[in-house]
């Protein structure tokens, strides 16, 4: 059976091979007589799954030794509180707003300390990244936060800023939920990176945190113990029961990524996939993506169909949008509806989406345009 192509923004499609392995091991993992969900997190079977996942991720993303890898719970949104609880030291935090997710982080952090705007692209509807040289970073900032791939607005940092070159010694905090493992990371520019697993790694419920060791140990006293990075790190992510099944599935995804040639090979494929889709849209009369070409996301491609007057049709219920989605589904192209806050369409083309899926989408879009 061939499965349809699933363009969901998250929880998103996983590599079919990962799902098949998990299915085959559901009742009996490696002759243990137990499924992974039924194992003690402190038993040797699960410890081996955990250690392999950590090792493989460290290798895939070339995470330096002075960074801890934490497998936590609560998703990206909980990190919006957990990061300030651990890193703000009761002081100020500076935020760069490039879309809904960084905006959410900024609002949540304001509950725990002084959250300030360093820069915002809101005035143009989040279609660009303000140049780092223009950011207003305070000398007393405890950290600077950005979202390196805005899942809803389709804006991606093509390089992380070098804060030191801007005269800022504060650590950079990066929400990389929706493009982790899609491209290499320059860890010399990062203090902490976090991401929910359900976009590019595994099931919802697992949150990945990669944090430089020197940032540990400064949690506010009100920080819940289970969310104190130092306690989590000291206990190898087992201060409390970690999301064991999520770690197992992410571990299978890491093995799959290694077989594909690693993150650099994935990046090449992701560039090719994104280029195919953007090039087609830019040459068409019907489809439009509003994002500055220099910062278009390789993972999340929001787009609009135009009405007969040439204007983008935001309302998903507009007959042309409804016909597009219905036809797509019939053609085996699932979950293309845009996020409710921006409307239109969105194609999420994470690591697990093969180029054939993007080719099928472009073929459908071309055929729909000819009919429209
Ligand atoms: C999905 C997403 C989140 C939120 O994750 P939850 O697991 O729903 O809390 C945060 N940031 C980004 C960039 C995301 O794509």
């Amino acid at each position: 059976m061939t499965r349809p192509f699933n363009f969901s923004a998250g929880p998103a499609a996983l590599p079919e091979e990962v799902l098949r392995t998990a299915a085959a091991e559901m009742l009996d993992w490696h002759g243990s007589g137990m499924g992974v969900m039924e194992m003690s997190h402190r038993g040797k079977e699960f410890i081996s799954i955990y250690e392999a996942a950590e090792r493989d991720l460290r290798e895939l993303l070339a995470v330096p030794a002075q960074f801890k890898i934490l497998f936590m719970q609560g998703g990206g949104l909980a990190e919006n509180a957990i990061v300030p609880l651990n890193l703000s030291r009761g002081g100020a935090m500076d935020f760069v707003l490039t879309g809904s997710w960084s905006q959410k982080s900024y609002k949540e952090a304001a509950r725990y300390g002084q959250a300030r705007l360093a820069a915002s692209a809101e005035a143009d509807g989040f279609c660009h990244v303000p140049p780092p040289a223009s950011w207003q970073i305070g000398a007393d900032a405890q950290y600077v936060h950005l979202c390196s791939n805005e899942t809803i607005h389709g804006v991606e940092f093509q390089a992380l800023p070098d804060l030191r070159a801007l005269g800022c010694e504060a650590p950079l905090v990066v929400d990389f939920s929706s493009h982790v493992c899609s491209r290499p990371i320059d860890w010399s520019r990062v203090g902490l990176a976090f991401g929910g697993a359900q976009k590019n790694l595994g099931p919802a419920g697992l949150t990945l945190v990669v944090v430089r060791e020197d940032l540990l140990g400064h949690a506010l006293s009100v920080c819940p113990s289970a969310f104190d990075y130092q306690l989590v790190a000291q206990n190898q992510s087992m201060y409390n029961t970690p999301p064991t099944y999520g770690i197992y599935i992410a571990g299978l995804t890491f093995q799959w990524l290694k077989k594909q040639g690693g993150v650099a090979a994935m990046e090449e494929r992701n560039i090719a996939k994104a280029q195919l889709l953007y090039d087609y849209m830019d040459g068409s009369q019907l489809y439009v993506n509003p994002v500055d070409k220099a910062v278009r996301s390789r993972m999340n491609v929001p787009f609009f169909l135009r009405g007969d007057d040439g204007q983008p049709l935001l309302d998903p219920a507009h007959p042309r949008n409804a016909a597009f989605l219905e036809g797509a589904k019939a053609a085996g192209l699932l979950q293309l509806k845009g996020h409710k806050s921006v409307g239109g369409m969105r194609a999420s083309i994470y690591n697990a989406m093969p180029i054939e899926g993007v080719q099928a989408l472009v073929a459908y879009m071309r055929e729909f345009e000819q009919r429209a």
Side-chain angles (χ1 to χ4, degrees):
M1 178 194 95
T2 59
R3 306 171 78 222
F5 293 113
N6 180 353
F7 295 89
S8 173
L14 286 165
E16 187 166 324
E17 194 179 314
V18 166
L19 297 176
R20 290 195 185 283
T21 302
E25 296 179 344
M26 178 64 76
L27 301 187
D28 181 7
W29 182 82
H30 294 203
S32 66
M34 302 176 277
V36 175
M37 272 182 272
E38 307 168 304
M39 290 174 182
S40 164
H41 56 298
R42 306 201 185 277
K44 69 174 178 6
E45 294 87 357
F46 184 74
I47 298 279
S48 76
I49 291 171
Y50 167 85
E51 287 178 349
E54 212 241 81
R55 197 171 52 236
D56 287 341
L57 179 66
R58 195 175 280 281
E59 181 186 326
L60 279 166
L61 283 180
V63 180
Q66 75 269 29
F67 283 78
K68 296 283 188 196
I69 293 176
L70 312 178
F71 293 108
M72 298 180 67
Q73 309 193 49
L77 283 197
E79 291 302 323
N80 287 344
I82 297 169
V83 172
L85 283 166
N86 278 273
L87 265 51
S88 72
R89 306 188 195 196
M93 306 154 274
D94 287 352
F95 288 77
V96 177
L97 269 53
T98 53
S100 300
W101 291 112
S102 45
Q103 192 167 46
K104 279 202 165 101
S105 301
Y106 167 63
K107 287 187 180 150
E108 182 74 2
R111 304 177 60 192
Y112 301 97
Q114 191 194 351
R116 301 183 302 210
L117 268 186
S120 173
E122 188 171 13
D124 80 347
F126 294 122
C127 285
H128 77 288
V129 171
S134 72
W135 298 357
Q136 304 288 313
I137 302 172
D140 57 343
Q142 296 298 321
Y143 65 87
V144 177
H145 175 112
L146 60 82
C147 174
S148 49
N149 184 63
E150 289 280 0
T151 321
I152 293 174
H153 289 88
V155 173
E156 182 170 14
F157 280 77
Q158 300 304 326
L160 291 175
D162 181 355
L163 292 186
R164 253 169 275 132
L166 300 172
C168 169
E169 292 301 323
L172 180 67
V173 169
V174 179
D175 175 356
F176 64 3
S177 294
S178 53
H179 73 166
V180 56
C181 286
S182 71
R183 59 192 300 156
I185 297 181
D186 182 353
W187 291 105
S188 73
R189 297 185 172 185
V190 176
L192 181 147
F194 70 82
Q198 72 269 27
K199 315 291 164 62
N200 224 355
L201 302 179
L206 168 64
T207 318
L208 177 65
V209 177
V210 183
V211 55
R212 222 172 55 207
E213 259 165 4
D214 62 284
L215 300 176
L216 302 175
H218 301 285
L220 303 180
S221 57
V222 294
C223 179
S225 307
F227 293 154
D228 178 333
Y229 292 137
Q230 185 169 44
L231 272 181
V232 178
Q234 280 168 349
N235 290 281
Q236 282 76 42
S237 301
M238 304 213 194
Y239 175 74
N240 67 329
T241 312
T244 53
Y245 201 74
I247 293 170
Y248 161 68
I249 297 289
L252 293 179
T253 305
F254 301 152
Q255 288 170 21
W256 177 82
L257 284 169
K258 284 172 70 176
K259 268 199 266 174
Q260 307 303 305
V263 167
M266 288 321 294
E267 179 179 38
E268 278 180 35
R269 289 194 209 176
N270 289 327
I271 290 171
K273 281 152 50 184
Q275 198 168 356
L276 179 62
L277 188 49
Y278 286 119
D279 281 354
Y280 167 66
M281 281 196 296
D282 289 344
S284 90
Q285 301 299 309
L286 184 63
Y287 306 101
V288 55
N289 166 279
V291 177
D292 174 0
K293 284 185 186 171
V295 294
R296 283 171 161 179
S297 171
R298 295 173 185 164
M299 300 278 99
N300 308 100
V301 183
F303 63 94
F304 299 99
L305 279 64
R306 294 181 202 271
D308 293 329
D309 60 357
Q311 292 306 305
L313 298 171
L314 309 189
D315 179 5
H318 184 282
R320 183 169 287 172
N321 284 335
F324 179 87
L325 288 169
E326 206 174 301
K329 195 172 171 192
L333 308 167
L334 306 183
Q335 307 205 70
L336 283 161
K337 191 167 156 184
H339 190 271
K340 60 183 186 307
S341 64
V342 295
M345 309 294 159
R346 174 172 50 171
S348 295
I349 49 175
Y350 298 120
N351 283 340
M353 175 62 66
I355 186 106
E356 290 79 10
V358 181
Q359 288 163 344
L361 174 61
V362 167
Y364 169 71
M365 289 169 76
R366 183 176 284 126
E367 184 236 329
F368 187 86
E369 179 167 13
Q370 282 158 1
R371 271 193 281 137

